[in-house]
Amino acid sequence: MKLKALAAIGLLCAGAQLSAKTLNVDIDIHADQTGPVINKDVYGQFAEHLGRGIYEGVWVGEDSAIPNTRGFRTDVLEALRAIKVPLVRWPGGCFADEYHWREGIGPREDRPTKVNTHWGGVEEPNSFGTHEFFEFVELLGADAYVNGNLGSGTVKEMAEWVEYMTGDKGSTLANERRANGREEPFDIAYFGIGNEAWGCGGNMRPEYYADLYRQYATFLKTPQGKRPKFVASGGHTEDTSWTDVLSKNIDSNIDGISYHFYTLPNSDWDEKGRAIKFSEQEWFKTMERTYRMEKYIRANVAKLDENDPEGNIGLYVDEWGTWYDPEPERDPGFLYQQNTLRDAVVAAVNFNIFHQHAERVTMTNIAQMVNVLQAMILTDKEKMVLTPTYYTYGMYKVFQDATSIKFNLKTDKYKRGDKTVPGVTASVARGTGGKLYLALVNLDPSNSADIDLNVAGANVTRAVGQILTADAMDTRNTFDAPETIAPTAFESDLDDLTIPAKSVVVVELK
């Protein structure tokens, strides 16, 4: 046990305990060998009209007693800016394929009230529409990912929405946008043509959807320089048929194929597992389930490599994250769940997987941003807490647009029964400012890890950065105790590098 390193990183402050057993991890970094750039959009967020994700979570209106900036919660804006949110996906999700954009423009008092049939059967006032969304992302300094309605919409409706948002001439639609308060066209980074066409987006076969996609994409026209990246609705879990069929049958107007995968501890949609007060067995099942992402991405990328050898089509994991059983006292349709250290570890494991596939995986969106599933932020009226997942995003922001560095990792396994996952996963990259960064995640909740680190091509001797860990597996921030878990300082000599159990570490090598 490397007691000097353990003392240096302030484990007592973090509340972690020394382990009786130690994982052995060997990492060889080749600092002079670079790989693809890790696109900043891998750190995208998802904001669906679901539960309190938009209303109260983001939008409270200008007349709210909750401090706001033009109707948007000021505390939420400031928190999201701090982690450099690069991209926001909206309005869904399943909600997107029942969303009719005209109901969300013009004076708010004149907008129709609908029923959100997907999520809780609650009233949808349409107070947060196209203009509010773009104002929100502009206040964040983020890009926009808009998901169009293919499931219950029409080609004409989708094409007119794109013209309304991007038109720069004197067309009736562009002038309508101007009359509604926006002179200049909006910038759309990505546009999704439908969502989960295999399920809530229409229960389609991939062959049928591919033909619909080709039809719809034909009519989505923008001025020169305003074309977004077009996203096709792809598959989920272990199914690669959607990636295969779409990449074979759509030969133009496509930039990426979406992919969805959620981490359910029990891999059972009827009994997903608990968000808090879970056992180590549930912790392990969560890690085993989330690490399947690596195998599933690899399988889908193989289909793309076969059908698109030029590398023109990305794999966009635009829905991912943990999904637990609803809290008994809350509306199950709101998908509100508590967020713990386990969620932070899950997030970091997935980041490291995405980085390993940075050439094809150039955009992802965690589900979701506020008050829904694996959220960054939880709110209760005027109160707000930052979750462990939020802090993981903050620690990993140095990897946005960083250049990946080649490395080899050999690690002891974390085992339960006949199943295993890596004890430790990692990422190495050179940031946009030239600094060399290393991320380490210990999936084992009981045992620390000794890191035998060898760095070729760079003269580095120390690791300096942050660590996120705690004593209990379900350590969390609450409205009564909002600062229970947060990153603390980490520093160690490279020849004496140890990380504790159930921890996320991001450091500069210097």
Side-chain angles (χ1 to χ4, degrees):
M1 184 64 63
K2 300 178 179 179
L3 295 177
K4 185 176 76 173
L6 290 175
I9 61 177
L11 289 181
L12 294 178
C13 178
Q17 296 176 338
L18 300 185
S19 305
K21 179 183 174 184
T22 304
L23 302 172
N24 293 307
V25 182
D26 295 324
I27 304 177
D28 295 321
I29 297 174
H30 307 283
D32 53 353
Q33 298 181 27
T34 59
V37 170
I38 299 166
N39 194 306
K40 65 179 177 57
D41 294 338
V42 164
Y43 292 89
Q45 304 278 322
F46 181 23
E48 184 169 7
H49 287 243
L50 198 172
R52 294 184 297 112
I54 297 292
Y55 301 111
E56 188 197 306
V58 168
W59 175 258
V60 292
E62 297 92 337
D63 298 330
S64 174
I66 296 173
N68 66 86
T69 303
R70 301 200 293 277
F72 304 94
R73 290 185 69 123
T74 302
D75 54 358
V76 169
L77 286 173
E78 291 175 349
L80 294 174
R81 287 192 198 109
I83 59 171
K84 294 178 62 178
V85 171
L87 180 74
V88 182
R89 180 183 181 223
W90 171 86
C94 292
F95 183 83
D97 279 302
E98 289 189 359
Y99 183 70
H100 300 283
W101 67 273
R102 281 201 161 277
E103 297 171 350
I105 62 171
R108 293 190 198 104
E109 62 271 18
D110 295 338
R111 299 180 191 179
T113 297
K114 304 295 286 290
V115 174
N116 189 332
T117 61
H118 279 294
W119 304 118
V122 296
E123 292 180 353
E124 164 58 59
N126 281 302
S127 303
F128 189 99
T130 300
H131 289 255
E132 289 79 14
F133 169 67
F134 279 99
E135 186 171 10
F136 175 56
V137 296
E138 288 169 358
L139 285 168
L140 289 180
D143 290 331
Y145 175 8
V146 176
N147 214 127
N149 179 351
L150 179 140
S152 68
T154 65
V155 175
K156 179 174 183 289
E157 180 183 22
M158 191 181 292
E160 288 184 346
W161 195 15
V162 171
E163 182 182 348
Y164 178 90
M165 291 185 285
T166 66
D168 60 356
K169 297 292 194 298
S171 72
T172 298
L173 284 165
N175 284 335
E176 185 178 11
R177 183 195 70 236
R178 295 183 180 105
N180 286 329
R182 175 72 179 208
E183 178 63 30
E184 297 300 318
F186 295 116
D187 290 319
I188 311 172
Y190 301 85
F191 190 89
I193 301 176
N195 166 75
E196 291 190 358
W198 45 266
C200 64
N203 289 301
M204 304 175 194
R205 296 176 298 111
E207 294 81 3
Y208 178 71
Y209 170 78
D211 286 340
L212 280 182
Y213 179 96
R214 290 161 62 104
Q215 177 191 8
Y216 273 66
T218 300
F219 295 96
L220 302 184
K221 300 176 181 179
T222 65
Q224 186 73 24
K226 284 290 183 179
R227 181 190 180 279
K229 292 182 178 180
F230 289 137
V231 184
S233 172
H236 61 111
T237 61
E238 70 275 9
D239 183 13
T240 60
S241 64
W242 283 78
T243 298
D244 188 29
V245 169
L246 301 187
S247 59
K248 281 179 178 175
N249 292 283
I250 303 173
D251 54 8
S252 62
N253 292 322
I254 182 170
D255 298 282
I257 298 173
S258 75
Y259 174 78
H260 295 176
F261 179 62
Y262 285 97
T263 297
L264 289 62
N266 294 331
S267 297
D268 183 339
W269 286 98
D270 294 323
E271 295 184 10
K272 304 175 190 70
R274 293 171 290 188
I276 59 174
K277 299 180 181 178
F278 47 82
S279 64
E280 184 181 345
Q281 178 65 15
E282 289 174 278
W283 169 287
F284 177 83
K285 289 194 296 183
T286 303
M287 297 303 145
E288 190 275 330
R289 168 88 179 189
T290 210
Y291 199 73
R292 296 181 200 176
M293 180 74 83
E294 200 285 325
K295 179 175 69 174
Y296 296 163
I297 286 179
R298 189 160 19 93
N300 280 275
V301 166
K303 293 295 183 184
L304 290 177
D305 288 344
E306 178 183 345
N307 301 332
D308 173 44
E310 299 83 8
N312 296 321
I313 302 174
L315 183 71
Y316 299 159
V317 187
D318 61 8
E319 287 188 32
W320 68 276
T322 53
W323 195 326
Y324 306 123
D325 293 330
E327 295 185 3
E329 69 276 14
R330 296 183 182 273
D331 188 322
F334 282 13
L335 304 189
Y336 179 94
Q337 63 190 36
Q338 184 51 269
N339 192 296
T340 72
L341 174 61
R342 178 177 60 169
D343 296 277
V345 172
V346 164
V349 167
N350 280 276
F351 294 157
N352 291 344
I353 293 170
F354 299 152
H355 294 174
Q356 292 303 305
H357 297 278
E359 191 165 3
R360 288 283 190 180
V361 180
T362 55
M363 183 263 277
T364 86
N365 306 113
I366 194 169
Q368 292 188 10
M369 179 178 275
V370 187
N371 288 332
V372 177
L373 297 177
Q374 192 175 350
M376 307 296 105
I377 294 169
L378 302 177
T379 69
D380 181 9
K381 301 180 178 63
E382 76 286 351
K383 297 179 182 179
M384 180 191 80
V385 296
L386 306 177
T387 69
T389 297
Y390 170 91
Y391 288 119
T392 303
Y393 269 81
M395 293 167 66
Y396 269 78
K397 67 185 178 183
V398 297
F399 288 97
Q400 292 189 23
D401 287 335
T403 300
S404 57
I405 296 294
K406 301 290 185 181
F407 70 97
N408 299 311
L409 182 149
K410 182 180 179 181
T411 177
D412 287 345
K413 300 294 186 180
Y414 170 37
K415 302 177 182 179
R416 296 283 292 191
D418 60 352
K419 294 186 176 181
T420 66
V421 293
V424 170
T425 72
S427 288
V428 186
R430 195 170 294 281
T432 55
K435 296 178 179 179
L436 186 62
Y437 293 106
L438 167 68
L440 297 166
V441 186
N442 188 344
L443 287 69
D444 191 316
S446 303
N447 299 305
S448 63
D450 279 353
I451 312 297
D452 186 356
L453 188 66
N454 298 292
V455 183
N459 184 20
V460 293
T461 60
R462 294 191 62 71
V464 180
Q466 291 183 306
I467 181 171
L468 186 68
T469 189
D471 196 8
M473 293 183 294
D474 66 346
T475 302
R476 55 200 179 274
N477 292 326
T478 67
F479 297 109
D480 293 330
E483 298 179 359
T484 302
I485 178 171
T488 56
F490 181 104
E491 186 169 354
S492 174
D493 293 334
L494 294 191
D495 60 1
D496 201 18
L497 180 58
T498 299
I499 63 172
K502 55 185 178 303
S503 65
V504 177
V505 175
V506 177
V507 290
E508 178 191 350
L509 301 181
K510 54 196 303 185

